[in-house]
Amino acid sequence: MDKVMRMSTEKGVVIFTKSSCCLCYAVQILFRDLRVQPTIHEIDNDPDVREIEKALIRLGCANAVPAVFVSGKLVGSTNEVMSLHLSGSLVPLIKPYQSFPN
Amino acid sequence: MNSTSTHFVPPRRVGIYEPLHQIGMWGETFKSNNIGNGNMNTPSHIIIPNNQKVDNNLSEDTSHGTAGTPHMFDQEASTSRNPDKIQRRLAQNREAARKSRLRKKAYVQQLETSRLKLIQLEQELDRARQQGFYVGNGIDTNSLGFSETMNPGIAAFEMEYGHWVEEQDRQICELRTVLHGHVSDVELRLLVETAMKHYFELFRMKSSAAKADVFFVMSGMWKTSAERFFLWIGGFRPSDLLKVLLPHFDIMTDQQIFDVCNLRQSCEQAEDALSQGMGKLQHTLADCVAAGHLGEGNYIPQVNSAMERLEALVSFVNQADHLRHETLQQMHRILTTRQAARGLLALGEYFQRLRALSSSWATRHREPT
């Protein structure tokens, strides 16, 4: 879907969330811990929320949210993010977008 | 047990028949107890023949036309006429009283046996609790402590978990034996694969159980008490797993050390993220339930929203298990076969010890000092 395509290809880490979704919040915390400032699209207040949900599900995110895109490519939902991180493959993906440690 | 008072006849009216009625009392009490307690190993041989003996005496007396007949107004007349009859009567009384005491003793013994059996059953229940079987303690349990609203999905899980622990113990034993001797790498790899699959099987079981009753899985009631102390979102903490395994790898390459360090850090970050997500879930649910005007009783203003949040718990439990799964998977990738085998043995023994600790703790007051 166009809107999803447009939003997901924004630079950096893009996460589609819902305000009521606590797993989405957990994923955001993880990226914050990794010193990344993701772009958050909270879809529940979007007029096209149903369309966006359907598009995300079609792309492979079973619950639609959270849906994580890095550098315009879909990484996946919570499962995929966790697997990638534990295998050490997440940090290389987001390295360009990490802010310097304080 | 039947009330014995219904059979008791006041002494004044019975006179010489009092002992006979007493025998009747005990006899009937025992009869009814025998019927009801097939399991209780009651000493059923004691009573019945004696009753018949007494009856024989009675009929014997009757046939000789003596004072043993059930005609009370004859009683004093017949005994005063014949001193021998008095002696006989006294002897019969003594005999009857002796038998009555014997019966009472047997009855008390039966009570004692039942009491011991009760204590035994209670201990078995306690043991079952310690071994991780869910025995409800809440208000929805009956007198034996089992939940009357037992969910079939949960009942199935408990049974499966019992088998799982048995198989786990068997596998740990095998690993222990094999690592003490010589074993081919191929055989060791097979054992490691089996052990890994066994853990993955547990996560699959928990996923089904979470769908049936997520609060049950979250409570850790299927685990022993010491295991529950370390509970994190329905299971063990993945970072704890690493802490248990690491001391057992004597020689590690630099790459391995590097990888394990990274794994440990990622694990902790992922755990932290999930923990904070859980925290947010608790806060929002609490807000949901606490909202509304004072005096609205049990009415939850946004009950649908609250229910949705509870559904989210299932996702969290699944995510936590996914984390455990991935941690095990990564360790398997980083380590050699032999290291993995030692690690799995260490992990298995750790949980075994926690279970044993729970048992010791539960019985600490019962040990004779």
Side-chain angles (χ1 to χ4, degrees):
Chain A
M1 184 217 153
D2 285 340
K3 201 163 187 178
V4 170
M5 290 307 297
R6 192 173 19 92
M7 289 196 283
S8 65
T9 50
E10 285 162 15
K11 210 162 171 273
V13 179
V14 176
I15 313 181
F16 291 87
T17 68
K18 275 192 205 158
S19 57
S20 58
C21 172
C22 294
L23 265 183
C24 297
Y25 180 73
V27 168
Q28 288 178 60
I29 295 289
L30 180 64
F31 280 107
R32 192 194 64 188
D33 276 356
L34 298 176
R35 303 185 331 265
V36 169
Q37 297 267 45
T39 311
I40 309 293
H41 290 298
E42 221 169 70
I43 67 172
D44 25 355
N45 294 323
D46 194 301
D48 301 315
V49 54
R50 293 283 161 255
E51 296 297 310
I52 299 174
E53 268 181 355
K54 271 192 249 173
L56 291 173
I57 292 171
R58 237 179 292 129
L59 283 171
C61 301
N63 295 324
V65 292
V68 177
F69 292 79
V70 176
S71 310
K73 287 206 303 216
L74 174 68
V75 165
S77 194
T78 327
N79 259 15
E80 288 76 28
V81 169
M82 294 297 181
S83 300
L84 271 179
H85 190 44
L86 256 59
S87 68
S89 312
L90 185 66
V91 167
L93 268 185
I94 61 169
K95 219 175 176 75
Y97 313 111
Q98 278 180 309
S99 40
F100 289 107
N102 301 338
Chain B
M1 187 189 88
N2 286 334
S3 164
T4 55
S5 58
T6 55
H7 301 290
F8 181 70
V9 180
R12 218 179 254 216
R13 293 207 57 181
V14 174
I16 55 165
Y17 300 105
E18 180 184 357
L20 299 174
H21 277 267
Q22 278 185 342
I23 291 163
M25 233 158 73
W26 289 117
E28 251 158 309
T29 307
F30 269 97
K31 271 193 212 145
S32 62
N33 276 347
N34 288 342
I35 291 165
N37 299 321
N39 300 334
M40 289 295 204
N41 297 326
T42 49
S44 52
H45 57 281
I46 292 183
I47 311 309
I48 316 299
N50 288 340
N51 268 342
Q52 290 173 343
K53 253 199 215 163
V54 171
D55 287 336
N56 285 338
N57 284 342
L58 242 185
S59 52
E60 205 182 84
D61 287 344
T62 315
S63 63
H64 288 146
T66 61
T69 57
H71 296 292
M72 287 196 313
F73 48 86
D74 273 344
Q75 177 186 327
E76 281 181 23
S78 42
T79 51
S80 61
R81 270 187 237 136
N82 198 338
D84 278 345
K85 295 294 183 286
I86 295 169
Q87 288 308 309
R88 194 123 152 235
R89 185 58 55 214
L90 285 173
Q92 281 175 343
N93 283 357
R94 279 196 295 274
E95 182 59 34
R98 188 182 76 86
K99 281 170 185 157
S100 178
R101 281 193 297 275
L102 275 176
R103 285 195 181 86
K104 183 176 178 179
K105 191 175 173 188
Y107 173 61
V108 168
Q109 222 152 8
Q110 189 196 28
L111 279 179
E112 284 291 298
T113 312
S114 309
R115 191 177 142 265
L116 285 173
K117 184 109 188 176
L118 237 185
I119 292 174
Q120 199 188 334
L121 277 172
E122 280 181 338
Q123 283 178 343
E124 270 177 44
L125 264 179
D126 258 317
R127 236 173 286 137
R129 279 199 185 100
Q130 292 317 312
Q131 279 163 28
F133 290 100
Y134 176 49
V135 180
N137 282 321
I139 43 174
D140 61 346
T141 59
N142 60 23
S143 56
L144 275 180
F146 286 97
S147 173
E148 286 175 321
T149 56
M150 186 75 89
N151 189 317
I154 298 305
F157 172 76
E158 281 173 342
M159 214 171 62
E160 280 186 314
Y161 183 68
H163 296 320
W164 189 90
V165 171
E166 275 170 22
E167 174 61 19
Q168 177 79 339
D169 288 340
R170 195 199 61 78
Q171 285 181 8
I172 291 165
C173 219
E174 196 170 1
L175 267 175
R176 198 182 293 135
T177 315
V178 145
L179 282 172
H180 274 145
H182 286 294
V183 61
S184 70
D185 226 46
V186 168
E187 193 186 337
L188 203 56
R189 201 174 309 139
L190 187 64
L191 284 176
V192 166
E193 294 296 324
T194 310
M196 297 283 286
K197 281 204 198 100
H198 196 57
Y199 279 111
F200 300 159
E201 175 64 22
L202 178 63
F203 302 144
R204 192 203 56 77
M205 281 160 52
K206 281 170 72 184
S207 178
S208 303
K211 284 199 200 91
D213 181 357
V214 69
F215 283 119
F216 175 78
V217 178
M218 285 287 303
S219 72
M221 282 313 296
W222 42 284
K223 286 178 178 266
T224 63
S225 38
E227 288 175 291
R228 246 177 278 139
F229 178 57
F230 294 99
L231 202 71
W232 176 78
I233 314 187
F236 61 84
R237 248 179 213 280
S239 53
D240 279 351
L241 183 161
L242 295 175
K243 283 188 204 131
V244 167
L245 299 190
L246 279 174
H248 299 275
F249 308 135
D250 19 351
I251 303 167
M252 290 178 79
T253 66
D254 285 343
Q255 182 64 47
Q256 282 182 322
I257 295 172
F258 180 71
D259 285 343
V260 167
C261 269
N262 284 340
L263 178 62
R264 200 165 175 176
Q265 192 183 35
S266 332
C267 216
E268 282 168 8
Q269 284 165 335
E271 272 175 36
D272 179 56
L274 278 187
S275 295
Q276 294 210 35
M278 278 291 282
K280 179 156 195 264
L281 187 60
Q282 277 186 328
H283 283 133
T284 49
L285 182 65
D287 286 345
C288 245
V289 173
H293 301 295
L294 193 67
E296 284 181 328
N298 289 338
Y299 170 69
I300 301 176
Q302 300 145 49
V303 65
N304 287 331
S305 168
M307 298 279 271
E308 265 175 45
R309 299 201 183 286
L310 286 179
E311 295 281 352
L313 257 181
V314 180
S315 312
F316 270 96
V317 170
N318 287 337
Q319 271 312 306
D321 276 345
H322 177 69
L323 215 57
R324 291 169 189 121
H325 184 293
E326 289 301 291
T327 307
L328 282 169
Q329 196 81 286
Q330 288 304 314
M331 282 305 282
H332 185 229
R333 180 186 65 84
I334 294 169
L335 300 171
T336 66
T337 309
R338 182 158 281 267
Q339 284 170 328
R342 289 167 63 96
L344 285 164
L345 177 60
L347 191 64
E349 284 187 330
Y350 178 71
F351 289 127
Q352 270 183 340
R353 287 181 199 168
L354 280 181
R355 290 194 276 270
L357 182 62
S358 304
S359 280
S360 303
W361 182 256
T363 54
R364 75 195 185 286
H365 288 316
R366 302 225 196 98
E367 308 274 68
T369 44

